[in-house]
Structure formats: structure tokens, C-alpha cells
Amino acid sequence: MLSGLYKLGIRDVQGLLLHMPLRYVDETRISEVRELRIGEQAQVEGEIIHLEVSYKPRKSLIARLSDGTGDIFLRFLNFYPSQIAALKEGTRIRALGEVRHGYFGYEMVHPQTRAVRETTAVKQTLTPVYPTTAGLSQPSIRKWVTWALNNGDVSETLPTQTYAKQTPSFQVSLQYLHNPPPEANLQAMENRSNPEWRRLAFDELISQQLSMRQHYAKRRELGAPVLKHSTILIPQLLSTLPFGLTNAQQRVVKEISQDLSRPYPMQRLLQGDVGSGKTIVAMLAALQAIENGYQAAIMAPTEILAEQHYQKMLYWLAPLDIQVAWLSGSQGKKDRVASLEAIASGDARIAIGTHALFQAQVQFNKLGLVVVDEQHRFGVEQRLSLRQKGQSDEVSAPHQLMMSATPIPRTLSMSYFADLDVSVIDELPPGRTPIATKLVSDARREEIVERVRAACSQGAQAYWVCPLIEESEVLQLQTALDTFDHLQQTFPDLKVGLVHGRMKSAEKQAVMAGFSQGDIQLLVATTVIEVGVDVPNSSLMVIEHAERMGLSQLHQLRGRVGRGAAKSACILIYQTPLSETARARLKIIYESSDGFEIAQADLHLRGPGEFLGIRQSGTPMLKIADLERDADLLEQAQAVADNLLKRHPVEAQKHLDRWLSRGDELVKV
Ligand code: ADP
Ligand code: MG
């Protein structure tokens, strides 16, 4: 039993107290069959008047229950002999389940049933249902929680003025939610809108804010190189650029530049939709570090993207006489040693690479700035090793700039990103033509083939993205190879290229260079090209099995075109039948090209945990509060957290300890 609790992540009494019900069931009422409505959760009581094992539409045990006002069928798809015995004709049964429209009339599938007498009393209160695990029954969890309520510390952690006057206390709220009183309203309990749930949601949000803000404050206690504003390199680079910065770019450049000139490390997230021009902003930040005698490191999640940054930097920096080093996991030993030496000696002023940049052997001479591109794509470990690299001597750390093309809705940036400052590029460079998005069913492939042929023969370039096959990398590779073969045969007159994650990096580079220079007209690719790739002449994007991809992935892929003056299109091929979520996703991507709107919809569809991916598992996940429903509490929590840390650090810590003692996906920061 204890091992069951352990599996749930419950380590102590506080963990038990905060192991909250998932939902409640109402066993306080018995409904008449004639008053039932489809879709409602109900409890009925009556006599089994018929029982049979039926084979149509599939094998099931079907019991017909009558309560004198009507009949309802109880259906079980998997059943034991003991259930057949328990539902014998003539038995009086209480059944609890969702009322559905069944094969024969009203039915409940897999209802909870028990034999009763006419005199058996109904429950007086709502019954909580807890998250559980194999071997731990609901009644035993309930017993443990009750024990915790009687023996645990349920005192207040924070000063009373933290809460509004009518707010129920921690103890009262817990009692109410674990043991609902007879008058508790099922609806309010289920949608967590009553004051008791709201009180706990508020506490949870405060704990999250405290944890994030504490982290933020701790980094501020570290030293960082003071990087004065650039007077030479930045003006020099800007004068050679073929474009001027947009207003939004100028604004964020200023914000970043100011951060860099402070004696503590910048911890800033730069958000900007696909194609908004984040790379040049990072470049300018790097130049500020370099002009002050420091090095900058730029990390990208894929080799293709890192390579592209490298080429771009070489090109931009050539007139400035700045040495750039390249590091990746797959480069040859000789190159690697040379890069490592240049980084260690300080000859290389900028190092660009994949996460290979942050392995232990990499020693910087004087690292002043770390830029992480497409930050949301990095796993936790990589992010943490980066954090440690920055803090290796515990007293000073380099400035950090994280960049992300996944716009983060406000409630999320206020919560899960509260340990960062945020800058937003909310404007695209001028002259971009909108991308026309088309949804085409797989049955109309021929039309797409013709369209690609027409576009490419007129000098345009196109991507053809192969389906994502999550279950198997081998299968995914095979599909890419097959697609490539097939398209090569289909388009004998076009130069078709192929790029996928399993290729050697030199091969990848050669293909990408060929596509960039226009030698390759049609590039068959796996989702390795999802982020960052910038080939402005490409104007057509075909995505196969678009229904398998996530919203932000589709948005990112689509963002590979529409970067030049040519009119661009994105064709999403889907296979029917579509699941409901897939249909919802495709509808959104079809209707909107605004990354912010798409992210908001994505968040809504998937919830914050999945939206953020594992990236955020170093931070406390919210289990009670809902960022949409409790947005008002979030604002208040934010306002109180900094004040608590400043004025009531002991209480703040006590509060954090209580809430961080919960288990599950919660990992301590
Ligand atoms: P992202 O924000 O997606 O990383 P990039 O930095 O790759 O975008 O920029 C996309 C393209 O826009 C690049 O070709 C870049 O050179 C170009 N670009 C960036 N800023 C401007 C600007 N102010 N005006 C015109 N083009 C720009
Ligand atoms: Mg980019």
C-alpha cells in the first residue's frame, strides 16, 4: 500500500494532504429512469429483469434494469463470471454511470454497480475520486487522506493579509474538498469554481510564482560581465546589412543591450514569430560581448540550423575580421580539436554549434553571452547543463538570451516563464507576402504533383515534407527514402534533393547548400527542416500527413516559405478519416497565419503540460489552478510573490516547502 502511495509521488503527510480528488461522483441521489437525460452522470436503482451474454454488436454482458418508471440497459464489454452471478435476474442493483443512447435504448456502459436492499441508505455526501495506481483502492486512499487531515500540519503558511477577507482557510478548504459536506454542489466541485478550490488554486499559483521568482532573484545575485554599448562593431555591421531593422527589432535590441550592460546576468526570452528576424538580434548582442573583449556562444537545436547560422555569421562577420568556431557532435576529430583550441585560447570570438557546445570538454576563454536558439526544442538535461556551465564558478555567469518562435500566451509567460524577462518582436519585416494555405485530401495527389511541376519549371523552389512516424525512426527514414525515389521518378526534369536526420553532417550540408544556391529545385525532407531553415527563394511547401503534426510544428514548417518576394503557398495533404483533434488543428492552421493565435489555440487543445513539452519539467506544474479559469488569481499571485520574498522570506519558504512536497511530474527547481 505504501509503495502505491510512493508510486503516486506521495512522500509525506503534506503530499497526502495535497493529493486532491480528480472529480466527484454523486451517490446522494437516485434518479428515476424516466427522468434520465443522455449524457448525464446518474445513479439508478431497480431490479434486474433480464440478463444475457450477447454477441451483437460485439460480445457483451447486458443486464436490463427496471425501476418501475422505465428500463435501462447496463452493458459490460469485459466481464468476469462473478459479474454474471452478481447481476442475476431478480437482484436489486444500484448502478452509477453515464446515461447514453445505446443499441436498445438508454444504457450505461461499465457502470459501477452494487447489490442493495430497499432499505439501503444513499450516501449523504459527494464521493471524491482520487488519482490512483494499481493496488491502491479508492477506499484506502480515502482512509490515508483522512488520517493525514487528522494528523498533518494544516496551519497557514502565509501572513493573513495575503488573502481576501472571506477566503476560507487552508484547513477548511482541505476538509471541504476531501470530505464534501452534504450541501456541496457537484457542478462547482467539478469545475473547481467554489471558494475552497479557488483558495488552493491561489496557494498553488503563489508557490509557483515564489519558486520561479526565487530562481530569478538568485541569478541576480550572481555577477556578470558589464558589457558596454557597442560603438564600433554594431554600427559597422548595420551599415553593411541590405535591410534596416524593423521598429520591433530596434526595441528588443535596446532591451537586450541594456541588460548586457548590467553587472548581473541577463535572463531574457526573445519571442518572435517565424521569420520575424531574431537571428540578427542575437548577432548584435554577440557583437556587444565581443567588443567588450568577451566571447559569445550560439546554440541551435539541429545541426542544419546551427550550420546555417554558422554560414550566415561567416558571411556577416567577414568584413569585421571576427573568427567564428564551429562545433557539432558529428564533426571530425581534427576539426573538433581545432575548434576547441580556438575557443579555449579566445581566438574564436563566437562559437556556434549544437548542444555539443555545452559538453564538459568545451572550455571557453572568456564567455560573456550564451544564446539559445529555438529554446523550446531543447530537452531538460541540455538546458540544465547549460545553466551549470554558466554558473560553474558560482559567483558569476554569462548573460543568457533564449529565443523562441513559439509565441507564448500571456498566462503562460506569467507563470511558467516567470523566471525570465521577456522581449517580443511583434512585427514582420516589410515586403513579406502572405502564404496561401491549402488543405488537400490524399486522394487528390495528382493535382499537387502538377502544381509542384509548374512552380519549379518557372524557377521556384519547393519543399516536400515527409510524414512524421513517431513510433519508428527506421520507418520514418524508409518513408523518406521511398518518397524521394518516387518524386525523382515523377519529376525526371527536376533536380530533387533529400535531407533527413540520419545523414552525415557533410552530406546534409551539401544538400542544404545545393538548395540554398538554387541547384536543387525540390527538397524532400523529414521534419529536420522544421525550425530555422531560411531559403528565401523557396515558395512552395508540401506537407504529407499533415494530420499527424502538431500545430506549432505545422506553423514552423509553413514558415519556411513566404520569406522572399514571391507569392508562396503551403499545401497540407491529409489522410481521411480525420480524428476530431486533427480536424480542429487543420482548421486553425488553415484559418490563421498568426503565430500568436495559433499558439493560443494549441495551448487550449493540449493544455500547458503538453504545450510546454518536457522543456519545463524543471518547474512546478500546476495541478489545481487552471490558467484560463484562474487568470485573475494568477495576476494576484504574481503581485504577492515578490513582496513575500522580500518581506516574509521565512513564510515564503514554508509555503514553498509545503507545495513542493507534492509528487508526480513535479520536479524541484
Ligand atoms: P527567425 O525570427 O524566424 O529566426 P530569421 O532571423 O531567420 O527569422 O530571419 C528571416 C529572414 O528575414 C532572414 O532572411 C533575414 O535575413 C531577414 N530579415 C531579418 N530582419 C529583417 C529586416 N529588418 N528587414 C528585412 N529582412 C530581414
Ligand atoms: Mg530562427
Side-chain angles (χ1 to χ4, degrees):
M1 190 126 74
L2 277 173
S3 80
L5 293 177
Y6 210 76
K7 240 188 254 160
L8 290 172
I10 299 171
R11 301 284 181 274
D12 54 20
V13 184
Q14 289 294 328
L16 261 175
L17 285 173
L18 292 171
H19 189 64
M20 303 309 294
L22 272 181
R23 57 192 175 85
Y24 297 85
V25 289
D26 188 355
E27 296 174 274
T28 64
R29 256 165 38 85
I30 291 179
S31 308
E32 292 185 339
V33 170
R34 67 169 165 211
E35 65 175 16
L36 292 178
R37 262 174 307 178
I38 301 286
E40 81 177 331
Q41 184 83 22
Q43 178 167 246
V44 293
E45 181 178 320
E47 192 176 308
I48 301 294
I49 55 171
H50 185 73
L51 182 71
E52 69 173 69
V53 176
S54 154
Y55 291 88
K56 277 185 203 160
R58 53 191 277 209
K59 185 177 173 198
S60 42
L61 177 66
I62 298 177
R64 182 172 189 154
L65 178 148
S66 166
D67 73 348
T69 71
D71 294 358
I72 183 167
F73 294 87
L74 314 178
R75 192 148 66 85
F76 303 84
L77 298 172
N78 302 304
F79 51 91
Y80 301 103
S82 60
Q83 278 173 299
I84 300 183
L87 295 171
K88 228 173 41 227
E89 282 167 28
T91 320
R92 190 170 187 82
I93 290 290
R94 212 167 268 175
L96 178 78
E98 190 189 312
V99 181
R100 297 216 214 158
H101 202 67
Y103 203 64
F104 313 99
Y106 277 172
E107 71 172 16
M108 286 180 179
V109 179
H110 290 193
Q112 179 186 314
T113 57
R114 64 184 180 122
V116 288
R117 293 196 198 141
E118 237 161 303
T119 51
T120 310
V122 291
K123 291 246 169 85
Q124 291 306 303
T125 59
L126 295 176
T127 317
V129 180
Y130 289 93
T132 186
T133 177
L136 191 61
S137 68
Q138 289 293 334
S140 46
I141 294 194
R142 259 174 245 150
K143 237 181 270 158
W144 277 105
V145 171
T146 308
W147 175 82
L149 281 171
N150 294 329
N151 295 280
D153 174 10
V154 287
S155 63
E156 294 295 315
T157 46
L158 300 176
T160 31
Q161 68 267 28
T162 309
Y163 305 96
K165 248 209 193 101
Q166 311 81 339
T167 311
S169 71
F170 183 66
Q171 178 174 20
V172 164
S173 303
L174 282 181
Q175 278 292 353
Y176 194 96
L177 300 173
H178 284 303
N179 293 315
E183 71 276 9
N185 170 301
L186 181 66
Q187 187 103 45
M189 292 294 266
E190 293 256 291
N191 56 32
R192 304 192 166 183
S193 58
N194 56 16
E196 294 75 16
W197 272 121
R198 297 261 295 169
R199 156 73 208 239
L200 293 193
F202 189 43
D203 274 358
E204 186 186 44
L205 287 166
I206 293 176
S207 78
Q208 187 193 42
Q209 289 294 322
L210 287 174
S211 152
M212 303 302 272
R213 299 304 291 171
Q214 199 175 48
H215 194 248
Y216 182 85
K218 269 200 194 124
R219 268 185 77 82
R220 284 215 161 181
E221 286 165 13
L222 299 175
V226 173
L227 306 172
K228 293 199 295 280
H229 297 285
S230 156
T231 53
I232 306 163
L233 294 177
I234 289 184
Q236 225 173 333
L237 178 68
L238 288 177
S239 72
T240 63
L241 280 183
F243 52 78
L245 298 183
T246 61
N247 287 333
Q249 281 171 319
Q250 290 178 24
R251 178 170 37 79
V252 303
V253 164
K254 210 186 262 168
E255 286 166 359
I256 292 167
S257 175
Q258 245 147 33
D259 280 3
L260 294 176
S261 69
R262 303 213 163 101
Y264 47 83
M266 166 168 78
Q267 32 195 339
R268 189 169 284 276
L269 177 71
L270 174 59
Q271 268 182 253
D273 206 346
V274 190
S276 60
K278 296 183 289 295
T279 318
I280 185 70
V281 174
M283 195 60 232
L284 298 178
L287 288 180
Q288 187 166 339
I290 294 167
E291 192 165 317
N292 281 273
Y294 285 85
Q295 291 169 298
I298 300 180
M299 175 162 80
T302 67
E303 204 155 283
I304 288 179
L305 183 53
E307 166 76 20
Q308 181 186 285
H309 281 333
Y310 178 57
Q311 297 299 343
K312 211 171 239 182
M313 302 289 153
L314 286 180
Y315 176 77
W316 278 344
L317 298 181
L320 305 186
D321 196 26
I322 289 171
Q323 194 182 329
V324 185
W326 161 254
L327 263 188
S328 92
S330 63
Q331 86 194 123
K333 186 149 187 236
K334 218 169 109 208
D335 286 350
R336 185 174 168 77
V337 170
S339 288
L340 287 175
E341 276 173 13
I343 294 169
S345 70
D347 288 347
R349 309 310 299 157
I350 300 191
I352 297 180
T354 55
H355 54 90
L357 266 180
F358 294 96
Q359 279 152 9
Q361 319 89 298
V362 186
Q363 289 302 327
F364 285 85
N365 179 265
K366 232 177 144 188
L367 183 60
L369 169 70
V370 172
V371 179
V372 183
D373 194 13
E374 307 291 352
Q375 162 279 342
H376 60 285
R377 296 285 306 252
F378 283 96
V380 191
E381 310 89 83
Q382 286 155 2
R383 224 170 71 89
L384 289 183
S385 81
L386 165 69
R387 207 186 253 178
Q388 275 150 16
K389 191 107 197 158
Q391 298 178 341
S392 51
D393 57 5
E394 295 292 332
V395 286
S396 79
H399 297 282
Q400 270 192 32
L401 178 64
M402 282 152 271
M403 307 204 288
S404 170
T406 305
I408 298 152
R410 180 159 173 278
T411 49
L412 273 194
S413 66
M414 279 176 70
S415 54
Y416 292 97
F417 291 83
D419 61 334
L420 299 173
D421 293 309
V422 180
S423 289
V424 183
I425 306 184
D426 51 7
E427 166 185 28
L428 291 179
R432 297 277 165 85
T433 45
I435 306 166
T437 301
K438 295 214 157 52
L439 290 173
V440 180
S441 126
D442 191 54
R444 290 166 51 200
R445 254 186 131 67
E446 274 312 304
E447 291 168 39
I448 300 159
V449 166
E450 279 321 304
R451 175 139 189 188
V452 170
R453 196 194 307 278
C456 289
S457 66
Q458 284 164 21
Q461 288 179 277
Y463 294 93
W464 192 293
V465 178
C466 300
L468 179 74
I469 298 171
E470 273 180 344
E471 311 82 61
S472 155
E473 212 185 322
V474 179
L475 217 61
Q476 169 142 341
L477 179 61
Q478 192 53 48
T479 314
L481 295 174
D482 291 347
T483 311
F484 175 61
D485 277 348
H486 177 73
L487 290 175
Q488 245 181 343
Q489 283 167 24
T490 315
F491 301 113
D493 301 335
L494 296 183
K495 181 94 174 78
V496 184
L498 169 67
V499 63
H500 60 72
R502 282 302 187 82
M503 276 158 81
K504 292 223 174 66
S505 82
E507 291 175 297
K508 264 191 267 187
Q509 273 168 38
V511 174
M512 289 313 294
F515 190 59
S516 260
Q517 288 153 15
D519 299 337
I520 293 173
Q521 291 152 297
L522 176 61
L523 182 64
V524 178
T526 56
T527 49
V528 290
I529 58 142
E530 177 182 339
V531 287
V533 173
D534 183 38
V535 180
N537 188 47
S538 55
S539 58
L540 183 59
M541 163 71 62
V542 178
I543 303 175
E544 288 214 56
H545 273 290
E547 80 281 358
R548 291 188 192 165
M549 298 197 192
L551 265 179
S552 55
Q553 194 167 29
L554 288 170
H555 181 61
Q556 290 277 343
L557 281 169
R558 180 170 58 182
R560 298 308 114 217
V561 295
R563 299 185 156 233
K567 189 144 180 37
S568 294
C570 174
I571 301 177
L572 305 172
I573 310 183
Y574 63 87
Q575 202 116 47
T576 48
L578 286 175
S579 74
E580 213 158 298
T581 349
R583 185 182 300 274
R585 279 201 299 258
L586 291 177
K587 182 168 184 296
I588 292 160
I589 202 80
Y590 175 73
E591 285 174 354
S592 176
S593 59
D594 176 346
F596 194 80
E597 225 174 81
I598 291 171
Q600 191 90 44
D602 199 18
L603 173 63
H604 190 78
L605 279 178
R606 293 193 294 161
E610 272 203 53
F611 179 87
L612 295 166
I614 53 166
R615 181 252 161 210
Q616 283 298 318
S617 62
T619 58
M621 291 300 292
L622 298 170
K623 293 204 280 189
I624 298 175
D626 175 310
L627 292 176
E628 280 180 55
R629 184 191 59 218
D630 302 318
D632 59 325
L633 294 181
L634 175 59
E635 306 233 358
Q636 292 171 39
Q638 193 175 46
V640 299
D642 281 329
N643 183 44
L644 284 171
L645 282 175
K646 238 184 273 149
R647 304 225 154 68
H648 306 278
V650 177
E651 289 86 346
Q653 194 55 50
K654 198 170 161 210
H655 190 74
L656 264 174
D657 290 345
R658 167 176 282 169
W659 283 87
L660 289 178
S661 70
R662 284 186 308 171
D664 284 13
E665 62 267 64
L666 198 135
V667 183
K668 284 175 200 178
V669 179

